[in-house]
Amino acid sequence: MTSLTQRSSGLVQRRTEASRNAAAEKERDSADEENGPRRGDEQDSDDGGDAKETRLTLMEEVLLLGLKDREGYTSFWNDCMSSGLRGCMLIELALRGRVQLEACGMRRKGLLARKVICKSDAPTGDVLLDEALKHIKETEPPETVQRWIELLSGETWNPLKLHYQLRNVRERLAKNLVEKGVLTTEKQNFLLFDMTTHPLTNSDIKQRLIRKLQEAVLDKWVNDPHRMDKRMLALIFLAHSSDVLENAFAPLLDDQYDLAMKRVRNLLDLEPEGESMKANANELLWAVVAAFTK
């Protein structure tokens, strides 16, 4: 629970952001009347039909939500994103049909007790995903979702398991976003050391992502996770687990913010075991949710 002081600060921040966004929107509307509709608006669609070169993976979306626009780096105090990004990888592989949970068997196992198995080793086109998939395919005996999140993060005391760690994940994801024209690369001096940063250059893509998140829990809320787009459902869970969901809701007005967070809380209060047994549910997605909410 946040303190009253933090809460008040958050409300002031959201009011400031909302006012700034309203002024910017008014200015854009005036420009549209003079110049006609923008090409970006024509291409934008409700189902995420962005141009192919700007489609983002779940890992890239979570990182983009966590990056400071001008500074080009994530909060130094965020110790949740590392495991959150590994959860993104597992769900991304599951949504692409590369991995799944093992069959339940006669005695139904819980989600966190079931092993992750390789369903297809076809390349995904993403180096990080292919690296994680290679580990999952070659590991015998198979590991559980929770164990894979730990191994891919390097959180193990077993020196024989350290080779599973995916290194420099944030930097590699940032470079992917640079190649997609979303970020740029700069060097910043922090007194004692220099650090490579990746400031935002294409604000339209990030604003589109934030708008989709906001609409998912406000205008397009369906009150049933199984009627939601699976990628959007996963993004909400993973953004929360990575402690960056607040960044998407900060520009909202107070009543909208409260409603959005109430609905997110409703999702977080769901029982993953029960949800995974419903029709058309992605079991591995709910296993990752269980790993973060247990």
Side-chain angles (χ1 to χ4, degrees):
M1 295 294 289
T2 57
S3 67
L4 181 59
T5 301
Q6 291 172 321
R7 175 65 174 164
S8 301
S9 175
L11 294 179
V12 171
Q13 178 189 0
R14 288 193 293 279
R15 290 193 184 101
T16 303
E17 290 288 344
S19 301
R20 186 182 299 119
N21 290 347
E25 188 67 32
K26 184 176 181 181
E27 183 177 341
R28 285 197 296 269
D29 290 342
S30 298
D32 290 344
E33 291 177 2
E34 296 177 3
N35 303 324
R38 293 175 297 164
R39 184 178 178 183
D41 291 338
E42 294 172 355
Q43 293 178 341
D44 192 18
S45 64
D46 293 338
D47 60 358
D50 303 332
K52 183 176 181 180
E53 63 272 17
T54 58
R55 286 180 181 170
L56 309 181
T57 63
L58 285 171
M59 305 97 71
E60 292 166 350
E61 288 177 332
V62 168
L63 180 68
L64 188 56
L65 288 172
L67 277 176
K68 301 175 185 294
D69 293 356
R70 294 183 180 179
E71 293 86 346
Y73 52 83
T74 57
S75 171
F76 295 125
W77 310 109
N78 188 330
D79 58 356
C80 306
M81 186 174 287
S82 178
S83 57
L85 290 174
R86 274 62 176 188
C88 288
M89 294 176 193
L90 294 176
I91 293 181
E92 187 79 49
L93 287 171
L95 293 179
R96 296 189 185 199
R98 300 307 197 276
V99 298
Q100 63 184 21
L101 291 184
E102 64 178 346
C104 295
M106 295 298 292
R107 297 179 61 184
R108 186 176 182 84
K109 294 181 180 179
L111 289 173
L112 296 181
R114 294 164 64 185
K115 312 293 186 179
V116 179
I117 60 175
C118 180
K119 184 178 178 182
S120 168
D121 62 355
T124 65
D126 183 282
V127 176
L128 278 170
L129 291 178
D130 289 341
E131 192 173 335
L133 181 60
K134 182 174 183 290
H135 286 320
I136 294 172
K137 178 189 175 185
E138 296 178 353
T139 299
E140 287 293 340
E143 300 282 3
T144 63
V145 161
Q146 191 168 8
R147 185 66 174 145
W148 271 120
I149 292 174
E150 295 170 355
L151 290 174
L152 296 175
S153 301
E155 298 175 0
T156 175
W157 293 101
N158 187 343
L160 299 179
K161 300 283 189 178
L162 287 176
H163 68 283
Y164 288 118
Q165 181 181 6
L166 300 183
R167 301 180 183 277
N168 303 316
V169 168
R170 298 189 204 190
E171 180 65 20
R172 292 163 73 180
L173 289 173
K175 287 182 178 179
N176 288 349
L177 291 170
V178 170
E179 293 177 359
K180 294 179 180 182
V182 183
L183 306 177
T184 188
T185 302
E186 294 181 356
K187 287 281 187 181
Q188 279 198 33
N189 180 270
F190 287 86
L191 297 180
L192 299 178
F193 61 94
D194 289 335
M195 186 175 81
T196 301
T197 60
H198 300 281
L200 185 69
T201 56
N202 190 332
S203 60
D204 288 344
I205 292 178
K206 184 167 184 177
Q207 287 305 313
R208 188 180 304 134
L209 172 62
I210 290 174
R211 187 166 61 248
K212 284 163 57 178
L213 263 170
Q214 293 173 352
E215 290 176 347
V217 295
L218 292 174
D219 301 337
K220 298 181 180 179
W221 178 250
V222 292
N223 203 32
D224 179 0
H226 299 282
R227 292 172 54 199
M228 294 178 66
D229 175 74
K230 286 185 174 61
R231 291 186 65 84
M232 179 53 63
L233 180 65
L235 180 58
I236 292 172
F237 278 118
L238 293 166
H240 179 271
S241 300
S242 302
D243 198 20
V244 298
L245 188 59
E246 169 76 16
N247 298 344
F249 295 158
L252 294 172
L253 297 175
D254 296 345
D255 55 342
Q256 293 176 315
Y257 175 86
D258 291 338
L259 179 58
M261 292 308 297
K262 178 182 177 182
R263 288 173 173 173
V264 169
R265 177 53 58 187
N266 289 340
L267 291 177
L268 296 174
D269 288 341
L270 293 173
E271 178 52 53
E273 293 286 352
E275 299 300 325
S276 69
M277 292 187 283
K278 295 183 179 179
N280 300 320
N282 187 304
E283 291 183 317
L284 197 141
L285 186 158
W286 289 104
V288 172
V289 171
F292 284 118
T293 60
K294 63 177 181 58

